[in-house]
Amino acid sequence: MNETKKISDLKRLKNAASRHGLVALGLFLGFAAADSWYQVTGLGLASAVSVITALVAGAWLSSIFHEWGHFAGARVAKSYSPIVPDVRGIFMFGFNHSKNSRNQFLSMSLGGSVANWLLVLMVFFLIPMDSLGRGALLAMTFAKAVSVALFELPIVARVMSGKDSEASIDEALRNGSGDRGTVLGYLSGAVVWFIAA
């Protein structure tokens, strides 16, 4: 019985990996094509398209990395975190607060932020910052990482001080920290774009 559940979860994991992997590949190839067009032609239109593509790719790649970071953190901590039956969007697994410990929640939660910053470092070190589009890709991944950190790290701090994880999330959703994090994230991304490009 347990073996059947494990196989089912493994199949669901493979399905999620293939879907998210294909989306990530498509996003990166779309940006690479627009970036190449600009690099070859130097056209203003090509530069504008590369910027738009970079912003879209950066936002979606950040979301995919974030979700897989949460998942990795959950599984490293051996949390009860089953893959959803049909992965169609970004969300791919469930986290049951009553079946998991505080430490398992912290591992799951921190994994998302770690993954976002890992993506920022990958973009910074692997892609030369010599065009508006490339700068926009770094700026968007940076903006998303800041936004996530400003929303989730206070939740982590509350849980570490002994508060209930679900109550801490509800408090963050009610107090507007997500909106503040988004605004400050985009402002910091704009600064990074100005510096990088």
Side-chain angles (χ1 to χ4, degrees), residues 39-178:
Q39 296 296 331
V40 170
T41 66
L43 292 171
L45 177 61
S47 179
V49 170
S50 74
V51 167
I52 293 166
T53 309
L55 295 174
V56 172
W60 278 94
L61 288 170
S62 293
S63 296
I64 291 169
F65 267 67
H66 183 73
E67 183 67 4
W68 278 87
H70 275 320
F71 177 71
R75 290 293 170 103
V76 163
K78 301 187 184 322
S79 306
Y80 177 72
S81 51
I83 305 293
V84 297
D86 188 17
V87 177
R88 292 188 178 273
I90 295 296
F91 301 108
M92 56 177 275
F93 75 100
F95 186 87
N96 189 312
H97 293 265
S98 62
K99 290 186 178 181
N100 291 307
S101 69
R102 176 173 290 135
N103 285 339
Q104 287 171 321
F105 172 81
L106 292 172
S107 179
M108 181 275 297
S109 188
L110 287 169
S113 284
V114 169
N116 278 117
W117 288 109
L118 177 62
L119 177 61
V120 171
L121 291 174
M122 288 170 62
V123 171
F124 180 75
F125 285 111
L126 298 177
I127 299 175
M129 293 296 121
D130 56 2
S131 71
L132 288 174
R134 292 175 179 186
L137 183 65
L138 177 64
M140 180 55 82
T141 58
F142 187 87
K144 289 293 187 178
V146 169
S147 176
V148 161
L150 291 175
F151 177 72
E152 293 195 359
L153 292 182
I155 296 171
V156 167
R158 284 193 288 272
V159 172
M160 288 179 75
S161 71
K163 292 190 177 176
D164 177 72
S165 57
E166 282 185 288
S168 296
I169 293 170
D170 289 342
E171 183 180 337
L173 292 172
R174 283 194 313 270
N175 69 17
S177 62

Side-chain angles (χ1 to χ4, degrees), residues 5-21:
K5 285 184 180 176
K6 284 182 185 175
I7 291 169
S8 175
D9 190 65
L10 181 60
K11 285 181 181 176
R12 291 174 183 181
L13 177 60
K14 287 178 180 177
N15 180 43
S18 337
R19 285 181 186 234
H20 287 169

